[in-house]
Amino acid sequence: MKSFVALLFSLFFLMANGQMRQKDITVQKVLKLMGTRFEITVVAPNEEIGYINIDEAVSEIQRIEKIISSWDESSETSLINKNAGIKPVKVSPELFGLIERSIRISALTDGAFDITYASMDQIWKFDGSMKAMPNESDIKKSIAKIGYQKIILDAEKSTVYLPEPGMKIGFGAIGKGYAADRAKKLLVSKGVKGGIINASGDLTTWGTKVTGEKWLVGITNPLNKERVFGWLPIVESAVATSGNYEKYITLNDKKYSHIIDPRTGYPTSGISSVSIFAKQAEVCDALATAVFILGRDVGLHLINQINGVEAIIVDAENKIHKSSGIMFNTNP
């Protein structure tokens, strides 16, 4: 009799637990943050709590934007840029840490990723107005102030100094990923079971769907965004994609991406898209840009040497190249 009662109780508990799980819903909101499209998805017990959670994530992203934005004249980043060649600027530990990590990624990628790219003169135009290549001397001048090695950090005083007038830093190739990571961390600390922060292709996930299934990300065909090459599960992980299929120019029958190599001043060619998979969206964001610039062979060689990081590259001929740990799932 005890066994029968215990069995009934177990069945009841499982059914009740299943019903509780079924009450969870998916709540989603799309909005513009940091000048780009953010899509925030959370698993929540009801719509009201879901939207409260999303609003908290939005506030966190807006807080970060006020620190790293180059457009906000009162941001810490703007103050660093305004004082280039004048004096060091005391910054928050948060921004200091982000700059330190950015410099480490620059060293790892031989300068293919470099936050001082913001010093570059805008001589390349990707709005259809450009009909000829800029001359070589203009290109050399445009990158004269670039160089992550020039940034002077003082950890004791928490100051950042750009020693040359006209030097600038910008977080366009790492900021969205960092913001997505911070928003995720906040929601996890609030007990949100699962979700996705998608910052215009810089995406981080945690938990699972309400069904218990893994979140999936599709690798898009650069020639046809309606087609997907394959699907990959993203478990407590992140992915970022850099592509040239929306913003590029063609000169002398050669296609040039809007992604410019900060070491040379020339746009990249030969790659259509790069997707990087890692635990942190910040890392994915920065490495996607770096691998795009490094090129297929050098880029894959680099990724294959970094633990916990994978890459999928689609070259200019629409052929797929993968790092050693990537396995495609073509049936979502």
Side-chain angles (χ1 to χ4, degrees):
M1 184 65 180
K2 284 182 180 179
S3 297
F4 179 67
V5 171
L7 179 61
L8 280 177
F9 178 77
S10 297
L11 287 170
F12 174 77
F13 177 79
L14 287 170
M15 288 171 67
N17 199 34
Q19 286 171 356
M20 284 174 66
R21 281 199 301 268
Q22 286 171 13
K23 285 182 181 177
D24 286 338
I25 61 169
T26 302
V27 181
Q28 186 180 81
K29 196 170 185 180
V30 177
L31 59 165
K32 191 172 183 180
L33 296 164
M34 300 178 74
T36 193
R37 183 182 189 272
F38 269 72
E39 186 177 302
I40 303 174
T41 305
V42 296
V43 174
N46 58 60
E47 200 171 77
E48 184 183 359
I49 291 175
Y51 282 120
I52 289 170
N53 291 331
I54 289 172
D55 287 344
E56 288 176 328
V58 169
S59 295
E60 176 69 352
I61 293 163
Q62 290 171 333
R63 182 190 69 81
I64 291 161
E65 184 176 14
K66 287 179 181 176
I67 296 171
I68 69 173
S69 172
S70 301
W71 305 105
D72 184 343
E73 291 190 2
S74 64
S75 74
E76 292 182 30
T77 299
S78 290
L79 292 176
I80 292 169
N81 292 340
K82 284 177 188 174
N83 286 282
I86 301 172
K87 65 178 182 180
V89 174
K90 187 174 178 63
V91 299
S92 62
E94 182 175 11
L95 183 61
F96 193 91
L98 180 60
I99 293 171
E100 274 190 316
R101 296 192 301 277
S102 296
I103 291 172
R104 286 200 291 270
I105 295 173
S106 293
L108 179 69
T109 61
D110 193 28
F113 169 84
D114 191 333
I115 58 172
T116 66
Y117 81 92
S119 311
M120 191 183 302
D121 293 334
Q122 302 302 311
I123 60 173
W124 294 93
K125 308 293 181 186
F126 296 90
D127 57 4
S129 63
M130 199 167 181
K131 305 301 179 187
M133 297 276 285
N135 65 59
E136 194 172 335
S137 63
D138 286 343
I139 291 172
K140 283 182 179 177
K141 286 177 190 173
S142 80
I143 61 168
K145 298 183 188 302
I146 292 175
Y148 69 93
Q149 306 95 329
K150 298 176 183 179
I151 302 172
I152 298 171
L153 300 181
D154 187 328
E156 207 171 288
K157 297 178 180 177
S158 192
T159 60
V160 182
Y161 181 47
L162 305 180
E164 297 179 19
M167 273 191 80
K168 294 177 184 177
I169 59 171
F171 298 96
I174 195 170
K176 295 194 306 294
Y178 174 65
D181 283 336
R182 293 292 304 193
K184 169 185 170 179
K185 185 176 181 181
L186 175 69
L187 293 181
V188 169
S189 74
K190 299 279 185 181
V192 178
K193 294 178 183 179
I196 301 176
I197 312 287
N198 185 353
S200 192
D202 298 342
L203 182 150
T204 188
T205 73
W206 72 101
T208 63
K209 301 177 185 179
V210 288
T211 59
E213 296 173 293
K214 298 172 184 175
W215 302 107
L216 294 175
V217 63
I219 303 303
T220 305
N221 182 336
L223 299 182
N224 180 358
K225 288 189 287 183
E226 301 302 315
R227 276 194 61 205
V228 173
F229 282 127
W231 294 85
L232 293 123
I234 305 294
V235 182
E236 306 292 334
S237 192
V239 60
T241 298
S242 288
N244 72 351
Y245 35 85
E246 291 181 340
K247 204 172 181 184
Y248 61 90
I249 54 173
T250 303
L251 297 172
N252 302 323
D253 298 323
K254 189 173 181 180
K255 188 175 179 179
Y256 293 94
S257 162
H258 71 286
I259 299 172
I260 296 173
D261 188 335
R263 303 167 300 179
T264 67
Y266 283 88
T268 57
S269 60
I271 288 180
S272 291
S273 74
V274 175
S275 295
I276 300 290
F277 301 80
K279 286 293 181 187
Q280 293 175 306
E282 172 188 312
V283 171
C284 294
D285 197 0
L287 287 179
T289 300
V291 169
F292 205 106
I293 289 166
L294 290 169
R296 181 193 68 195
D297 295 337
V298 175
L300 281 179
H301 179 69
L302 170 68
I303 296 302
N304 282 329
Q305 294 179 77
I306 306 173
N307 289 333
V309 179
E310 302 294 344
I312 295 174
I313 297 173
V314 181
D315 68 20
E317 296 176 356
N318 223 32
K319 292 179 181 175
I320 301 173
H321 308 269
K322 301 175 284 184
S323 59
S324 55
I326 289 287
M327 296 285 289
F328 266 121
N329 173 20
T330 54
N331 298 303

